[in-house]
Amino acid sequence: MAHYRASESKREQFRRYLEKAGVLDSLTSVLIALYEENEKPNNALDFLKQHLGVVSPEPADVETLRLELADLNQKYELLLEENKELKNRLSQYEPAKEDGTTE
């Protein structure tokens, strides 16, 4: 019986925590909005995420961003190589310092 009371106490503490943080009010209002929808969405979880402000990008957007990232990484590597080559070419025309090194 003591174990039951301890877990009930933890549940009550957790419920108060959720209430104090505004989680219960937010969930209640979103669930009411879902209930009041004339045409229920195909994916209730997406509805909840959208109304709670947890919007995930569309798969097409993610793929577009992945392709753009790959393209930009390739351009970055090419620019690094070009920069290295230009520095080498420039060093041929710079006068050597007195200690024998170049900048």
Side-chain angles (χ1 to χ4, degrees), residues 35-82:
Y35 175 78
E36 292 175 347
E37 281 288 312
N38 290 331
E39 291 187 32
K40 302 295 185 236
N42 291 333
N43 191 330
L45 187 56
D46 284 345
F47 180 91
L48 294 175
K49 287 178 182 179
Q50 183 179 17
H51 284 79
L52 286 172
V54 182
V55 180
S56 58
E58 295 294 320
D61 293 339
V62 172
E63 186 58 30
T64 301
L65 290 172
R66 281 190 184 133
L67 291 172
E68 185 179 349
L69 178 61
D71 184 49
L72 290 172
N73 278 331
Q74 185 179 13
K75 287 179 182 178
Y76 171 74
E77 292 298 326
L78 289 172
L79 288 172
L80 282 178
E81 189 61 37
E82 181 183 7

Side-chain angles (χ1 to χ4, degrees), residues 19-45:
E19 189 173 1
K20 185 177 178 182
V23 173
L24 293 180
D25 288 339
S26 295
L27 286 175
T28 301
S29 65
V30 171
L31 289 172
I32 289 171
L34 178 59
Y35 175 78
E36 292 175 347
E37 281 288 312
N38 290 331
E39 291 187 32
K40 302 295 185 236
N42 291 333
N43 191 330
L45 187 56

Side-chain angles (χ1 to χ4, degrees), residues 6 8-19:
E8 190 65 32
S9 174
K10 284 185 176 185
R11 285 185 186 148
E12 183 60 27
Q13 287 175 351
F14 186 65
R15 188 197 62 74
R16 284 194 303 265
Y17 161 74
L18 292 176
E19 189 173 1

